[in-house]
């Protein structure tokens, strides 16, 4: 068994954990932004699917991963635009629209895939990694964390960018106010609708990017329903993190590591039914909730559309 | 700077009756809500160098008017003129840009942010919040006002009074040339009210225009230059500055009462305390001994609170807002966990009982947070009368709602307590503050009450409603009930209570019989001296 | 679809109020059918884009989902579990609890019913066996909801996270139970023992409609009446509309919270049971119809009104049964049904908004 | 008259669904009957579709998924229409229910031999997206084949996740891990996720820097191969359906179970350019031995048993 767990293998497991964590991280960060601004974005799964599909289409036809990420983010934004229009601007129920968008994009992307790719199943070449010198030579950790596509480092940097945004900028204050007491933001002269729209569109961009990463790097191809609930996990992560981007990162990595752990246990030949092993990440989160769950401080106006001058 | 200078010059040249110098003028402004005309072709002129007092009963349409000035609401008809030009105030941002700063009746601060962050809200989004610059500005303003604010405290940790100061400060920081204060004195101590009054006088001298809404006529008379009175959405009268200056306080008040209620009462706020006989021998209805509760993030704890109330007695709790009044009320009602002490109702200990069980035994609590916890805003008025009796006959039988029974009784209560509502089905949040309060009064005074806790029962009520409420409270005591009356309004306590206890930092610092020199003795206790 | 005017008038005692009521019904019908028509036009554009005749498609949807005897029977049968789920969601949503864990509760209820029913029918009369299975399916789902309920009631942990997590967990657990505990030893396919067709819920008359439909209708109507007419329902609605007011009014909020979750999850468990005992007969590993996701928006659109929910559930069933058939006949992938449902939901939500606005402006 | 086939997913997966549909079409054409295809039905309740197809006049319903083997016979009895189901040899009923239990275990055994011969690192991997019986039997037979060829060869077995049929990213991730553990040949089974496995094989280098090869099952992915496909255990279901149609005509439907095997080439190993001729010849000889029974290959359907087998071989 010791031979099995070679450095290379452990490195690959951890690499896989990070790769699996990135879409969750992006979805979680995106959802967090919406929630901060008071919008419960249940449509994020749909945004990820749109991002995955358009991201793949962009990368496949242009041959450039970066263009793929761009089109993917744009796909997410397109779906977010509908959400912003319906839920933020005219105040329709966020859960109805969110679920409807998720259902719709599941169907639409599957439909498009059917007509476009279901005979050829095109696959992208491997994403070229940006190897970080020195750091990547550390055993296990090096190959796990420092041999990824540039977008991964950008995603990690984004965590700290978000942190800065929330803590040290006027926009951060605006977002928080939009979620906690939109009327107060409004009378301070900031358009609540605009602020929330920005938040939702950003969510779309991040979720779309997450989807594009999932398709282009995570899988290297697009197939229907590829997001497999990653968006819903993003919602859970965002709520668990209570407004702190770094916690989203930890949560996403925890999920990734648990996923890799299930592979590790199987490869080690531990004879537990895989279904039992695969409950692990969810169990981990549930246990965390039971132990540290206390009163989750969600924004006071979460899910409530804002309309000026009503009471 | 330039604007201020201009305003200042304007105020110098302002001659009575010269319309040209209005900062803001309303011409025939009408605003309708479903089922109600909240403002009915109102004309109003607001001038630099004047405190323009708006008076009117609850629901008269004062806040609605303010809403249109501050860009929250759009008039259905009529025009608003700013600096003589017809202007559509399209958004709060627009209003701020025009120099209109508003302190709203309901708190408009973000609880989760710090005071500084709240003051900074509204800056350009790409900027870092400029805390240093703000600190300097705030220091300058607070020095001239003689108040202190904790810039780095979270708003949720401040008392309501402190929050109100922050809101006033915010309007000042913004360089407004028109400052609107909607019932800003309702949460302040008498001293705070005086300070605010002085401040207003100083500001108008500097050339600002102020619109000041209050229900207290004395404040209107003391701080105002011009008074407009609204009634049922219509403007029913105005006292211009020249008349104002010519009259004494008493005359002004009687004129206003004329306008608001027709000729009925002389000095409405000086109610004579009816002499009730509280029999000293009677066993206390409510006995509280050494009650204690733990402090929380945003509230002081309670420590060794003891008092008795006998049947027919009104015990007042005076004190500066945020000293544990609400915690005391909640601890008695069973909504807050206590850490020690006992509460006895008619001799039986009730501190272990739940909220519902305490109510059943006759303990009633009239909360000061009408919309937050007192009512369910989206439910009809009728249901809100019975929120605390859900499941009880005759309104429910075998668990089933008896709609006819409910509506019959609700209609009766609406009549009895003079609740102004379009219908029994109207969601209660649509009513104005005073009318919601009537619903709560009706609910708590319903059959079976023995001890009633009133927490700021007249906060935000207009004169007529205040008087009516006070009368109800006195009548309650007269029926032989024990009353605990929590208020920040010393006049109110002096006019009604048999004894007044003073609370400070969650402890009772003394109890005073309400005779002759009670005012000074309570005052001394409140500012931390021995009685 | 036309209304027979004279006969309505003849039976109505007060012509003016009857006319008003009729106008109201007509208005509601318009406000439902109008948007659906609009949604069909939008979805039709997508069909045109992929080269399919929309009219033919919708013709099949209507024929195979609604107007053919076979189609309507299938549609009504499909409704049974959805109605139970909708009933459970009505309770939770009216009480302000976002129970998004319906799928996990549904599956556990289904597995329990599938595991117990074949055993019980050998021990006792069939009707009693089925009742017992229903009861323990509901009980297991209730127990499963205890974690989010207690966390929400006593710790204030947001139930959206916990129910979502529990639904992921519940789906896995259901699989583990099927594969490892209740597995039918008689087949290589991982599934539970099969309840014989003759022991399942009887079919209605001479059709293939399951009598589960009646149970589902009863459940949702009872839930509607309880929520709108009883003290218990009002208490739940108070908790939902203003939890602080509920505390102030002396309601035992944590207890009510647990009760809400128990009822809601219990009904979801019954949904699983009624699908198994009424139609499926057993549970296969990895089976997850994920009904919950589509029912949630339907319940919202119905404004948590039981009768309206029945209508929306019916609509969903027609679309899913008819859509499948139409897709096959016209060579569109079955996924198109999802797109159609999504567009219908969005347009209905929009129409409701427009209607609301119109009413308001008329009143003002 | 006409036969109908029902599949859970679209018939464009180069796998189970496509093989089923193509075979039904071919068999129908040969017999001169119309073939109705109902695809992408999911794993839920197909009773409505079965009833509808029957009422449209289909004289044979092929319920091509193990998930349909409860509803299939029920509808057969309810409507008196012949139904063919899978994986249920015990469910035969004359004139109504026939079973075809397809297992490529014989082919998988050969694939195992092939993999053991070809592996440079003496380490091979099995990646599956789930554990249905037909995959289990192939996984087990593959492992047996590997061990029979060379007991020294290490086998790594990994399941992507519960119901991870469409988890392409998971397929890629797990396959990459398995390659990192030393495998240079991957035996992969999984619907949508198998494309993720293929992608991993195409983009990841083996430990020695060389190519990693992929062995597929059921379908033939040659049209979309980029040179990494070593082989596939291809199923040809057409003989089964043809036999069914014949039995239907002969009134012997429902009296026997149909199966596939090496013997009639209904299971066969795909020959690709990556397999050296010498190795291929050896494999062909082994094929004869399996057919003749000299090498017995017993199917193992149970997931737990498969895992137990893997553990014992991994040590
Ligand atoms: N957004 C709204 N929707 C419906 N009705 C409203 C709305 N805002 C105010 N009203 C109604 O308009 C009338 C005027 O309300 P407004 O708040 O202006 O009264 P007010 O004079 O400020 O009373 P108070 O002294 O109690 O604050 C009331 O009857 C109130 O119920
Ligand atoms: N806006 C509201 N908010 C809260 N409770 C309400 C509201 N409107 C009515 N109610 C109360 O809800 C209960 C019934 O409301 P609902 O409108 O659902 O019943 P309904 O219209 O009689 O139902 P149905 O006609 O479908 O039988 C009654 O107790 C009623 O007083
Ligand atoms: Mg007001
Ligand atoms: Mg008021």
């Amino acid at each position: 068994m010791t031979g099995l767990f070679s450095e290379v293998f452990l490195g690959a497991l951890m690499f896989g954990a990070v790769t699996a964590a990135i879409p969750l991280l992006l979805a979680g960060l995106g959802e967090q932004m919406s929630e901060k601004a008071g919008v419960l974005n249940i449509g994020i799964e749909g945004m990820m699917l749109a991002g995955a599909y358009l991201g793949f289409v962009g990368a496949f036809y242009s041959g450039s991963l970066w263009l793929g990420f761009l089109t993917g983010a744009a796909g997410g934004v397109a779906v977010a635009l509908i959400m912003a229009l319906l839920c933020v601007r005219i105040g329709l129920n966020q859960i109805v629209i969110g679920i409807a968008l998720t259902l719709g994009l599941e169907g639409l992307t599957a439909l498009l895939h059917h007509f476009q790719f279901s005979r050829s199943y095109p696959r992208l070449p491997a994403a070229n990694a940006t190897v970080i010198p020195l750091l990547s030579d550390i055993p296990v950790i090096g190959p796990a964390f420092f041999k990824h596509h540039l977008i991964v480092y950008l995603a990690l940097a984004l965590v700290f960018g978000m942190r800065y945004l929330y803590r040290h900028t006027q926009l951060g204050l605006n977002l928080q106010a939009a979620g906690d007491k939109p009327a107060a933001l409004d009378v301070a002269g900031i358009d609540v609708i605009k602020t929330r729209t920005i938040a939702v569109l950003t969510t779309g961009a991040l979720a779309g990017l997450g989807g594009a990463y999932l398709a282009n790097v995570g899988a290297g191809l697009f197939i229907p329903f590829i997001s497999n609930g990653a968006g819903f996990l993003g919602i859970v992560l965002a709520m668990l993190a209570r407004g702190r981007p770094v916690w989203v990162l930890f949560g996403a990595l925890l999920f990734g590591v648990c996923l890799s752990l299930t592979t590790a246990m199987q490869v080690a030949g531990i004879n537990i039914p895989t279904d039992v092993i695969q409950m692990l990440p969810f169990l981990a989160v549930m246990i965390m909730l039971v132990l540290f769950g206390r009163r989750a401080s969600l924004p006071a106006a979460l899910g409530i559309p804002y309309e000026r001058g009503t009471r | 700077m330039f604007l201020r200078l201009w305003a200042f010059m304007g105020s110098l040249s302002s001659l009575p009756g010269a319309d040209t110098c209005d900062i803001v003028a309303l011409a025939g402004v009408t605003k309708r809500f479903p089922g109600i005309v909240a403002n009915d072709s109102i004309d109003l002129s607001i001038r630099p160098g004047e405190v323009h007092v708006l008076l009117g009963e609850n629901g008269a349409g004062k806040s609605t008017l303010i809403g249109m000035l501050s860009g929250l609401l759009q008039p259905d008809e009529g025009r608003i003129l700013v600096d003589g030009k017809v202007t559509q105030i399209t958004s709060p941002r627009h209003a701020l840009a025009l120099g209109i700063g508003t302190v709203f009746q309901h708190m408009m601060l973000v609880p989760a942010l710090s005071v500084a962050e709240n003051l900074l809200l509204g800056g350009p989004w790409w900027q870092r919040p400029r805390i240093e610059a703000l600190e300097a500005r705030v220091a300058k303003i607070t020095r001239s006002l003689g108040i202190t604010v904790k810039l780095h405290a979270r708003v949720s940790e401040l008392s309501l009074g402190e929050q109100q100061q922050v809101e006033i400060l915010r309007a000042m920081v913004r360089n407004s040339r028109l400052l609107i204060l909607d019932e800003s004195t309702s949460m302040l101590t008498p001293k705070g009210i005086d300070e605010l009054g002085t401040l207003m006088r100083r500001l108008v001298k500097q050339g600002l225009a102020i619109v000041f809404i209050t229900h207290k006529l004395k404040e209107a008379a003391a701080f105002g230059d011009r008074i407009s009175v609204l009634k049922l959405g219509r403007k029913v009268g105005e006292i211009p500055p020249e008349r104002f200056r010519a009259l004494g306080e008493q005359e002004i008040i009687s004129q206003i009462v004329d306008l608001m209620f027709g000729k009925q009462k002389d000095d409405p706020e000086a109610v004579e305390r009816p002499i009730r006989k509280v029999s000293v021998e009677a066993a206390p209805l409510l006995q509280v001994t050494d009650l204690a509760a733990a402090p929380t993030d945003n509230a002081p704890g309670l420590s060794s609170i003891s008092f008795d109330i006998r049947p027919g007695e009104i015990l007042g709790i005076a004190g500066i807002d945020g000293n544990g009044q609400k915690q005391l009320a909640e601890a008695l009602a069973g909504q807050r966990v206590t850490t020690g002490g006992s509460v006895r109702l008619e001799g039986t200990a009730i501190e272990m009982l739940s909220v519902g069980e305490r109510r059943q035994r006759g303990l009633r609590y009239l909360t000061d947070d009408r919309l937050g916890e007192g009512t369910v805003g989206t439910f009809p008025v009728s249901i809100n009368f019975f929120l605390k009796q859900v499941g009880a006959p005759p309104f429910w039988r075998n668990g089933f709602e008896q709609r006819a029974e409910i509506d019959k009784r609700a209609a009766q209560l609406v009549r009895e307590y003079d609740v102004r509502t379009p219908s029994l089905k109207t969601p209660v949040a649509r009513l104005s503050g005073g009318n919601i309060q009537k619903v709560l009064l009706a609910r708590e005074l319903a059959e079976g009450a023995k001890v009633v806790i009133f927490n700021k029962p007249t906060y935000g009520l207009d004169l007529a409603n205040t008087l009516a409420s006070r009368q109800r409270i006195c009548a309650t005591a007269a029926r032989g009930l024990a009353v605990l009356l929590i208020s920040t309004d010393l006049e109110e306590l002096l006019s009604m209570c048999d004894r007044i206890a003073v609370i400070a930092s969650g402890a009772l610092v003394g109890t005073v019989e309400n005779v002759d020199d009670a005012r000074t003795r309570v005052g001394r206790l409140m500012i931390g001296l021995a009685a | 679809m036309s209304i027979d005017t004279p006969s309505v008038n003849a039976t109505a005692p007060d012509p003016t109020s009857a006319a008003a009521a009729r106008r109201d019904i007509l208005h509601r019908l318009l406000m439902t059918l109008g948007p659906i028509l609009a949604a069909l036009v939008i979805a039709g554009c997508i069909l045109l884009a992929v080269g399919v005749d929309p009219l033919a498609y919708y013709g099949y949807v209507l024929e195979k989902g609604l107007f053919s005897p076979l189609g309507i029977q299938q549609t009504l049968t499909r409704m049974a579990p959805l109605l139970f789920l909708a009933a459970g969601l009505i309770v939770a949503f009216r009480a302000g609890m976002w129970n998004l864990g319906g799928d996990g509760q549904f599956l556990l209820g289904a597995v329990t019913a599938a595991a117990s029913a074949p055993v019980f029918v050998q021990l006792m009369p069939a009707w009693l066996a089925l009742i017992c299975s229903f009861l323990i399916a509901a009980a297991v789902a209730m127990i499963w909801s205890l974690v989010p309920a207690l966390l929400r009631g006593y710790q204030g942990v947001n139930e959206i996270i916990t129910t979502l997590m529990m639904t992921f967990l519940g789906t896995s657990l259901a699989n583990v139970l099927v594969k490892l505990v209740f597995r039918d030893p008689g087949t290589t396919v991982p599934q539970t023992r099969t309840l014989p067709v003759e022991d399942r819920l009887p079919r209605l008359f001479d059709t293939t409609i399951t009598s589960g439909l009646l149970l589902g209708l009863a459940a949702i109507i009872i839930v509607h009446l309880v929520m709108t007419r009883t003290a218990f329902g009002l208490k739940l609605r108070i908790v939902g509309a203003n939890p602080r007011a509920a505390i102030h009014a002396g309601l035992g909020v944590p207890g009510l919270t647990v009760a809400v979750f128990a009822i809601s999850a219990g009904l979801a468990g019954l949904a699983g049971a009624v699908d198994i005992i009424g139609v499926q007969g057993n549970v296969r590993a990895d089976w997850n119809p994920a009904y919950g996701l589509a029912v949630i928006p339907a319940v919202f659109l119905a404004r948590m009104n039981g009768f309206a929910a029945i209508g929306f559930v019916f609509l969903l069933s027609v679309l899913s049964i008819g859509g499948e058939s139409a897709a096959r006949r016209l060579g569109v992938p079955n996924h198109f049904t999802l797109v159609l449902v999504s567009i219908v939901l969005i347009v209905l939500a929009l129409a409701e908004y427009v209607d609301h606005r119109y009413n308001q402006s008329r009143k003002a | 008259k006409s036969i109908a086939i029902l599949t859970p997913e679209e018939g464009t997966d180069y796998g189970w669904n496509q093989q089923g549909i193509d075979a039904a079409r071919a068999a129908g054409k040969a017999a001169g009957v119309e073939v109705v295809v109902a695809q992408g039905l999911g794993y839920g309740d197909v009773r409505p579709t079965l009833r509808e197809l029957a009422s449209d006049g289909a004289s044979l319903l092929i319920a091509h998924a193990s998930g349909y083997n409860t509803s299939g016979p029920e509808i057969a009895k309810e409507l008196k229409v012949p139904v063919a189901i899978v994986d249920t040899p015990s469910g035969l009923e004359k004139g109504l229910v026939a079973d075809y239990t397809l297992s490529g275990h014989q082919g998988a055994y050969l694939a195992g031999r092939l993999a053991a011969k070809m592996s440079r690192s003496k380490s091979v991997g099995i990646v599956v997206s789930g554990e249905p019986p037909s995959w289990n039997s192939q996984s087990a037979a593959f492992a047996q084949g590997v061990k029979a060829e060379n007991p020294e060869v290490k086998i790594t077995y990994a399941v992507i996740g519960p119901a991870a049929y469409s988890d392409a990213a998971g397929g890629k991730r797990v396959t990459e891990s398995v390659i990192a553990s030393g495998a240079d040949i991957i035996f992969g089974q999984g619907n949508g996720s198998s494309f993720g496995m293929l992608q991993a094989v195409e983009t990841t280098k083996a430990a020695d820097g060389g190519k990693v090869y992929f062995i597929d099952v059921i379908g033939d992915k040659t049209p979309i191969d980029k040179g990494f496909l070593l082989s596939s255990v291809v199923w040809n279901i057409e003989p089964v359906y043809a036999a069914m149609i014949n039995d239907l005509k002969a009134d012997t439907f429902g009296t026997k179970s149909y199966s596939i095997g090496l013997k009639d080439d209904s299971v066969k190993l795909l020959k690709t350019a990556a397999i050296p001729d010498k190795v291929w010849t050896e494999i062909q000889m082994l094929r004869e031995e399996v057919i003749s029974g000299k090498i017995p290959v017993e199917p193992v359907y149970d997931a737990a048993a498969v895992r137990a087998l893997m553990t014992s071989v991994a040590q």
Side-chain angles (χ1 to χ4, degrees), chain C:
Chain C
M1 292 259 103
S2 72
I3 294 172
D4 193 346
T5 345
S7 75
V8 169
N9 266 348
T11 51
D14 177 356
T16 53
S17 85
R22 199 146 20 86
R23 219 175 310 125
D24 191 44
I25 291 174
L26 208 69
H27 175 80
R28 280 193 197 190
L29 261 175
L30 263 174
M31 282 319 294
T32 314
L33 293 182
I36 292 176
L37 219 64
L40 294 187
V41 171
I42 299 172
C45 294
I46 298 179
L47 283 175
L48 275 180
V50 299
V52 170
D53 176 9
L55 290 180
Y57 184 90
Y58 296 135
Y60 282 128
V61 171
L62 281 184
E63 185 195 334
K64 297 299 167 183
L66 191 57
F67 292 127
S68 69
L70 190 59
I72 187 77
Q73 291 175 27
Q74 322 259 33
T75 297
L76 292 175
T77 298
R78 176 67 50 96
M79 281 175 74
L82 301 185
L83 287 174
F84 272 105
L85 277 173
L89 290 176
I90 287 175
V91 175
F93 291 174
R94 282 231 185 197
M97 320 263 169
W98 307 106
N99 177 12
L100 301 185
D103 283 338
Q105 294 149 8
F106 173 92
L107 280 178
L108 286 173
V111 170
T112 316
S116 61
V119 180
F120 287 161
V121 284
Q122 318 217 315
L123 304 177
M124 49 183 108
W127 60 271
L128 187 60
L130 297 193
I131 289 178
C132 288
S133 284
F134 272 116
L135 288 181
I136 77 165
V140 165
M142 282 179 181
I143 291 169
W144 188 248
S145 77
L146 220 52
V147 179
L150 293 175
L151 280 175
R152 156 86 198 228
Y154 294 92
Q155 294 282 308
V157 178
N158 180 284
E159 73 283 4
I160 295 185
I161 328 176
T162 48
T163 52
L164 271 178
M165 291 312 298
M166 291 301 278
T167 218
F168 283 122
L169 267 180
T171 317
S172 301
L173 181 63
N175 265 333
V176 170
L177 289 177
V178 171
K179 288 185 191 166
L180 302 182
V181 186
F182 300 124
R183 180 162 177 179
D184 179 359
T187 160
T188 56
V189 182
Q191 62 186 26
T192 63
R193 272 176 230 272
T194 305
L195 183 67
V197 179
E198 52 284 3
D199 289 333
R200 291 184 203 161
L201 287 178
R203 292 179 176 174
L204 290 178
F205 316 111
D206 241 358
T207 67
T208 58
I209 305 170
T210 168
S211 50
L213 174 69
L214 297 186
L215 298 180
L217 286 173
I220 201 163
I221 291 170
I222 290 172
V223 159
H224 180 81
L225 293 180
V226 166
M227 291 312 290
T228 56
R229 299 278 192 276
T230 68
F232 179 69
L234 180 58
K235 284 180 187 172
L236 296 190
R237 288 192 289 132
I238 293 174
V239 174
N242 185 349
R244 285 184 56 211
I247 294 173
H248 180 67
L251 304 181
V253 176
L256 286 174
T257 303
V258 175
V260 167
F261 272 99
I263 297 174
S264 177
L267 285 164
L270 287 177
V274 87
D275 203 17
I276 297 308
I277 296 180
V279 180
Q280 313 279 1
N282 63 15
V283 173
R284 262 167 298 110
D286 298 335
W287 176 67
N288 180 9
Y291 289 139
L293 208 56
V295 176
I296 290 171
V299 167
F300 270 110
L301 288 174
R303 295 182 161 247
M304 295 155 217
N305 178 304
F307 295 107
I310 295 175
F312 283 108
V313 164
F314 179 68
L315 175 66
L316 277 182
S317 301
V318 170
L319 288 181
S320 94
I321 296 285
E324 198 167 89
S325 176
R328 170 161 43 81
R329 281 159 207 275
L330 295 170
V332 195
N334 208 357
H335 304 306
F336 181 74
T337 314
L338 284 176
V339 181
L340 184 60
V341 168
S342 153
I343 295 176
V344 167
L345 289 175
I346 291 177
V347 178
L348 275 171
L350 258 173
E352 196 198 16
Y353 165 82
V354 171
D355 188 39
H356 181 69
R357 269 294 136 114
Y358 172 74
N359 276 344
Q360 255 190 350
S361 68
R362 215 178 36 176
K363 261 189 215 150

Side-chain angles (χ1 to χ4, degrees), chain A residues 309-311, chain B residues 33-34 36-39 56-65 73 105-106 182-183 213 215 230 420 422 429-435 460-462:
Chain A
T310 49
R311 51 157 126 166
Chain B
F33 289 117
I36 207 160
V37 183
N39 282 167
E57 290 180 78
N58 292 125
K62 305 178 296 292
S63 299
T64 305
L65 196 70
L73 299 171
Q105 183 176 1
H106 302 284
D182 193 351
E183 300 196 24
I213 297 178
H215 286 302
L230 299 187
R420 310 263 169 91
R430 295 259 179 84
L431 305 190
S432 74
N435 285 305
L461 299 198
D462 64 35

Side-chain angles (χ1 to χ4, degrees), chain B residues 343-463:
Chain B
V343 181
R344 288 168 179 279
L345 186 88
E346 291 183 306
T348 22
I350 58 166
E351 69 268 7
M352 301 310 291
L353 300 185
S354 70
V355 176
E357 288 163 336
R358 292 185 201 201
R359 180 183 164 89
Q360 286 219 313
R361 297 189 182 212
L363 182 76
R364 302 293 159 86
Y365 167 38
L366 193 136
T367 174
D368 61 335
D369 192 354
R370 286 163 214 157
L371 277 175
E373 67 174 8
T375 54
V376 180
T378 51
F379 282 16
V381 171
S382 55
I383 297 287
N384 270 287
F385 279 121
F386 308 104
L387 272 197
K388 293 189 173 179
Q389 281 161 275
V390 177
F395 310 115
W396 280 269
R397 286 187 202 284
N398 304 320
F400 280 91
E401 184 176 295
Q402 306 298 310
R403 213 169 275 189
E405 213 51 77
I406 287 179
D407 284 351
K408 200 175 86 194
R409 176 78 178 132
Q412 197 182 337
L413 289 173
V414 162
R415 241 175 294 119
E416 202 174 305
Y417 284 80
D418 187 29
V419 182
R420 310 263 169 91
T421 170
S423 83
L424 288 180
K425 285 199 184 308
T426 308
V428 78
R430 295 259 179 84
L431 305 190
S432 74
N435 285 305
I436 297 175
Q437 184 72 349
K438 292 177 197 163
V439 173
L440 294 193
L441 271 171
R443 182 169 81 201
E444 300 309 331
L445 297 181
E447 2 1 80
K450 287 178 187 146
V451 175
V452 190
I453 304 160
F454 293 96
N455 192 1
K456 299 196 197 124
T458 58
Y459 149 56
L461 299 198
D462 64 35
L463 196 58

